[in-house]
Amino acid sequence: MNRIRLLPDHVANQIAAGEVVERPASVVKELVENSLDAQATRITVEIQAGGRSLIRVTDDGVGMSRDDALLCLERHATSKIQRAEDLAAIATMGFRGEALPSIASVSRFTLTTRERDTDSPEGTQIIISGGKIHEVKSAGSAPGTIIEVRQLFFNLPARRKFLRTEETEAAHIQHYLTLAALAHPNVGMAFHKDGRQVWQLASVKSGNDIAARLTALRERLRTLYGDEQKLLAVDSSTEISSRDETDAEYSPAVRLWGFMGAPGMSRATREDQHLFINRRPVENRGLNFALLEGYHTALMKGRYPVCCLFLEIDPAAVDVNIHPAKREVKFHREAEVRRFVAQAVRQTLLSFHSEPAKERVVSITPVRDRQQQESETTSVQQESQTEQVALPHFPPALRPAPEPTKPTIHQPALRMGFGLNQKTNPAAPLPAAESHSTSPIVPLAPRPSPLAAPSGPVPLLNVPLRLVGVIGKLYVILESDRGLVLLDQHAAHERILFEQMLNRLEQNGQTASQRLLLPATVELSPRDANFIREQLPALTRLGVGLSEFGESTFLLDALPPFVKASDPRRFVLELVDELKAAGQEVNSLRLGEHTVAKTVCRHAVKANDPLAGRELENLVEELRYCAMPYTCPHGRPTIIEMNFRELEKKFGRTQ
Ligand code: ADP
Ligand code: MG
């Protein structure tokens, strides 16, 4: 008996819908992506009851002819690819030709469309219920497409039951729309929820060059998130060269651009971490990891960066056809892409502190650009004005920045200046991902970063600071012309020691070490002894002269000069405990120099006396010379600011 038969179309569609249409937000995603692919300049999304009772997406895109409108509801009907080879380089959001038939099979669906570029005023309307066409008729409508999805999953009660509350579903929809809005500032977007307007985002005109795109993105970010965020502009590109002989000539260009949080800015979840690959919002573990790696000591454990970053890469170098909803992608050169992203992030963090002083100064501003400046944020202008009131009476020890700074730092016109199409030298090999463990601090080849200028914050350590006092033997109070500044002495000291240590290590393969007058022996438990034995080489390189002196006894005969050696034995015992704790974090037998250095510094700082007067001034000065001064090696902030605006808010002087 033959038992196999072909499934009817509407069943096949429902099965496909199981993968593509998980919840109302997936419908919104598919429909909005279709509108974007149809070159819409305005998209309106309306939902009711979290998208359960209604989702309506209206666009002014190219629209469809009657034939196309009928065809688009067939499975595997698409205008976006033609041949299997096209799959290798997809430039549109869609390509599977599955979304519309899937959605139409699990809802009451109405498609109304009219071609944009024909003279005929006639449009087409198709009404479908649960995948069955009820009516096809002419309809008068504006050019573009309206798709209405009512009663999602009405014919699949089991699926309907799995939907969450209206608020949750609406939040998912809004989250997707936020991503789409960030990726397409040039498209005007409106969002209505239960008859109420949530957004009305005007289209932001933007050219093709990166400066204009950054400005447009900044504008969108501001509309969606408000003005408070301290974001750094990112722009970095390179060519990924292959180690693989077979396609040696093929080296796709990649670029990472967008905005990311200044050092010390983070969230407890990935919620504000937006990553796009060729404008597609994606989840990619490799990239997540690269971000964390790039932030490195600028991020606390368990915290996530805030960013909106776009990776642009030759579509042929990435496979988007690995997930039915296209949420995940796969790179052909995963490791290289990761390394590039980590490096770009790191570079941005480093240049935040080190570059502005040299790079931002510009004396001539073309008139054309000046007009553009008018549209810059007022906060930027305020900053540049206050910048000019450099206070002459500050003690010389607390003068701003390692390089002398001109007060005109923040001329936004600089954006037009130089290096816009700058690439990081493609000839220079990408540093290995692991290289962080050996040369974390030395800045990479200097790269002009004019883009940090347009709306980036002026780094706190680039403005003059005046010492006010110390509270709790720990917090140093300083004053700047922007407001109140607080410095955590220990955190700052840790950062300074950490960088000094690693710089020395980098230069001499060994950090400074001081022989003890009286070497001490330390007895450890067998387990601790085993553990510390693994760490001896790193400890020695970092100036802690510890050697085996019997079964589980160790001899300590040298320490880094900054460690007070009043009780060397205790120092070792505590260091062992801290290293063990650090070891649990990194989960490896032998800790890297980084981890050991971090721990030694933390310990040294803890054991030190509080600083006073001149020493504090030196501390601030030395912090200024650090490559990553804003966080301690564990990612906690070293210095924070409460500007006058925030103070006024707290004291109820403003709203
Ligand atoms: P895909 O997007 O993968 O091609 P869909 O099922 O989402 O598959 O859409 C099928 C086809 O319908 C698209 O290829 C496109 O030609 C057409 N289409 C869908 N939505 C729109 C729209 N909003 N405007 C114009 N054409 C559209
Ligand atoms: Mg589609």
Side-chain angles (χ1 to χ4, degrees):
M1 191 179 79
N2 295 338
R3 283 176 299 169
I4 301 178
R5 71 197 71 145
L6 277 173
L7 291 173
D9 271 353
H10 73 275
V11 181
N13 284 334
Q14 281 191 8
I15 290 170
E19 290 184 317
V20 182
V21 190
E22 191 190 341
R23 60 188 342 155
S26 0
V27 174
V28 172
K29 173 177 183 288
E30 294 296 337
L31 297 184
V32 169
E33 286 188 355
N34 279 345
S35 299
L36 290 167
D37 282 342
Q39 289 138 40
T41 65
R42 279 209 54 78
I43 301 175
T44 302
V45 178
E46 295 157 88
I47 62 166
Q48 265 167 29
R52 288 151 157 259
S53 46
L54 171 75
I55 295 168
R56 186 189 292 125
V57 176
T58 307
D59 71 48
D60 63 352
V62 294
M64 285 177 268
S65 66
R66 175 171 288 216
D67 287 348
D68 275 358
L70 281 164
L71 201 56
C72 81
L73 298 160
E74 299 289 332
R75 223 150 109 74
H76 306 309
T78 178
S79 55
K80 297 167 195 175
I81 57 170
Q82 291 176 8
R83 301 162 303 166
E85 298 87 79
D86 296 343
L87 276 175
I90 288 158
T92 48
M93 292 289 166
F95 59 87
R96 300 169 64 102
E98 278 188 318
L100 293 185
S102 303
I103 297 168
S105 75
V106 295
S107 67
R108 302 192 198 280
F109 183 98
T110 308
L111 163 70
T112 313
T113 187
R114 185 180 135 199
E115 269 186 295
R116 189 164 70 182
D117 301 322
T118 59
D119 300 330
S120 151
E122 189 101 306
T124 308
Q125 187 167 67
I126 303 177
I127 299 171
I128 303 178
S129 183
K132 296 201 185 71
I133 297 192
H134 279 256
E135 203 177 351
V136 180
K137 61 180 179 193
S138 302
S141 71
T145 303
I146 307 172
I147 290 181
E148 232 176 63
V149 177
R150 290 183 187 273
Q151 290 175 282
L152 185 64
F153 299 138
F154 79 97
N155 52 350
L156 294 179
R159 292 299 293 278
R160 206 172 163 80
K161 244 191 267 163
F162 272 107
L163 293 181
R164 301 298 190 79
T165 61
E166 287 178 17
E167 293 78 50
T168 307
E169 296 300 341
H172 280 283
I173 292 172
Q174 186 156 346
H175 178 72
Y176 167 72
L177 288 177
T178 308
L179 296 176
L182 289 173
H184 302 272
N186 55 325
V187 177
M189 286 204 192
F191 177 39
H192 300 256
K193 197 161 86 180
D194 299 313
R196 200 171 43 82
Q197 179 175 303
V198 182
W199 286 334
Q200 179 74 45
L201 303 175
S203 127
V204 186
K205 289 281 159 288
S206 145
N208 262 341
D209 66 300
I210 210 78
R213 283 153 76 189
L214 275 168
T215 312
L217 175 60
R218 175 83 235 189
E219 188 58 43
R220 267 280 152 101
L221 280 167
R222 195 175 291 141
T223 336
L224 289 166
Y225 288 95
D227 225 351
E228 297 293 308
Q229 301 207 318
K230 283 193 175 170
L231 296 173
L232 309 180
V234 181
D235 178 30
S236 190
S237 44
T238 191
E239 274 165 28
I240 291 187
S241 48
S242 175
R243 299 202 192 107
D244 184 354
E245 309 253 306
T246 51
D247 57 353
E249 306 104 83
Y250 181 61
S251 39
V254 282
R255 177 170 218 151
L256 186 77
W257 67 276
F259 290 94
M260 57 180 240
M265 186 168 164
S266 64
R267 291 271 188 287
T269 66
R270 289 193 205 277
E271 205 164 306
D272 283 335
Q273 175 185 310
H274 305 316
L275 282 174
F276 301 81
I277 296 171
N278 294 343
R279 288 210 179 174
R280 199 187 287 284
V282 288
E283 281 159 30
N284 180 284
R285 289 188 47 178
L287 284 190
N288 288 343
F289 194 76
L291 261 183
L292 293 185
E293 201 172 81
Y295 267 88
H296 195 63
T297 59
L299 206 63
M300 273 184 267
K301 198 173 145 261
R303 304 282 296 184
Y304 299 97
V306 173
C307 66
C308 180
L309 290 173
F310 292 86
L311 187 80
E312 280 172 14
I313 184 165
D314 181 349
V318 50
D319 191 352
V320 291
N321 191 22
I322 59 162
H323 187 280
K326 294 161 257 164
R327 220 169 24 223
E328 288 168 26
V329 301
K330 196 165 156 30
F331 294 106
H332 297 322
R333 304 261 168 74
E334 168 101 23
E336 285 90 343
V337 172
R338 250 169 79 164
R339 224 172 290 142
F340 162 71
V341 169
Q343 195 197 356
V345 167
R346 185 159 190 76
Q347 180 69 60
T348 308
L349 290 171
L350 286 172
S351 50
F352 169 62
H353 178 58
S354 62
E355 281 183 359
K358 301 179 286 228
E359 308 281 352
R360 286 185 183 173
V361 183
V362 137
S363 45
I364 304 159
T365 312
V367 181
R368 180 172 50 84
D369 295 340
R370 218 169 246 147
Q371 282 164 350
Q372 206 132 8
Q373 277 178 51
E374 310 284 318
S375 61
E376 290 287 336
T377 71
T378 46
S379 81
V380 166
Q381 287 179 344
Q382 274 164 7
E383 270 168 9
S384 62
Q385 277 156 13
T386 47
E387 207 71 51
Q388 287 163 11
V389 204
L391 300 179
H393 60 269
F394 280 3
L398 294 183
R399 287 236 153 256
E403 289 86 14
T405 316
K406 283 201 194 147
T408 45
I409 323 182
H410 230 311
Q411 290 285 356
L414 186 62
R415 170 166 42 98
M416 305 296 164
F418 46 92
L420 287 182
N421 291 317
Q422 177 95 22
K423 290 186 170 190
T424 43
N425 184 2
L430 289 164
E434 307 75 44
S435 73
H436 291 329
S437 56
T438 52
S439 61
I441 294 312
V442 181
L444 305 157
R447 182 185 62 99
S449 167
L451 302 166
S455 41
V458 179
L460 184 53
L461 283 164
N462 285 12
V463 302
L465 298 172
R466 197 171 66 83
L467 184 63
V468 178
V470 183
I471 53 170
K473 291 192 190 150
L474 176 60
Y475 301 108
V476 184
I477 304 179
L478 302 140
E479 171 194 37
S480 81
D481 51 353
R482 306 202 296 225
L484 172 70
V485 176
L486 287 167
L487 179 117
D488 177 328
Q489 245 184 77
H490 278 180
H493 198 182
E494 248 180 278
R495 164 55 71 179
I496 294 162
L497 290 181
F498 177 70
E499 292 203 6
Q500 283 173 351
M501 252 181 153
L502 291 176
N503 277 338
R504 282 247 174 91
L505 199 64
E506 170 87 356
Q507 280 159 15
N508 315 331
Q510 177 87 36
T511 68
S513 182
Q514 223 165 35
R515 298 233 147 249
L516 295 179
L517 285 177
L518 295 172
T521 53
V522 191
E523 175 96 28
L524 296 176
S525 74
R527 268 180 79 186
D528 284 358
N530 266 341
F531 169 76
I532 211 68
R533 215 168 275 134
E534 291 288 335
Q535 323 306 334
L536 288 182
L539 281 168
T540 310
R541 273 196 299 280
L542 292 164
V544 180
L546 202 62
S547 50
E548 290 192 66
F549 197 69
E551 188 70 355
S552 48
T553 309
F554 291 81
L555 180 76
L556 177 76
D557 62 0
L559 280 175
F562 54 79
V563 175
K564 296 215 167 163
S566 54
D567 189 350
R569 266 196 79 244
R570 234 182 85 202
F571 172 79
V572 173
L573 289 175
E574 287 182 14
L575 189 64
V576 171
D577 286 344
E578 294 203 13
L579 284 173
K580 265 171 31 195
Q584 278 156 7
E585 281 171 28
V586 291
N587 203 6
S588 75
L589 204 58
R590 184 178 290 191
L591 307 176
E593 272 155 357
H594 251 209
T595 315
V596 176
K598 273 190 212 180
T599 314
V600 172
C601 293
R602 165 131 94 189
H603 186 78
V605 169
K606 265 198 196 157
N608 260 339
D609 297 332
L611 305 175
R614 185 77 207 164
E615 289 171 314
L616 284 176
E617 287 171 10
N618 288 341
L619 187 74
V620 177
E621 197 53 18
E622 280 177 16
L623 194 60
R624 284 198 166 118
Y625 280 95
C626 286
M628 284 259 208
Y630 294 96
T631 58
C632 82
H634 307 273
R636 284 187 296 272
T638 52
I639 188 163
I640 56 174
E641 179 178 33
M642 197 178 285
N643 63 31
F644 286 118
R645 220 172 69 209
E646 291 164 88
L647 286 173
E648 280 160 11
K649 245 191 202 164
K650 283 211 183 297
F651 284 106
R653 289 176 181 275
T654 55
Q655 280 308 307

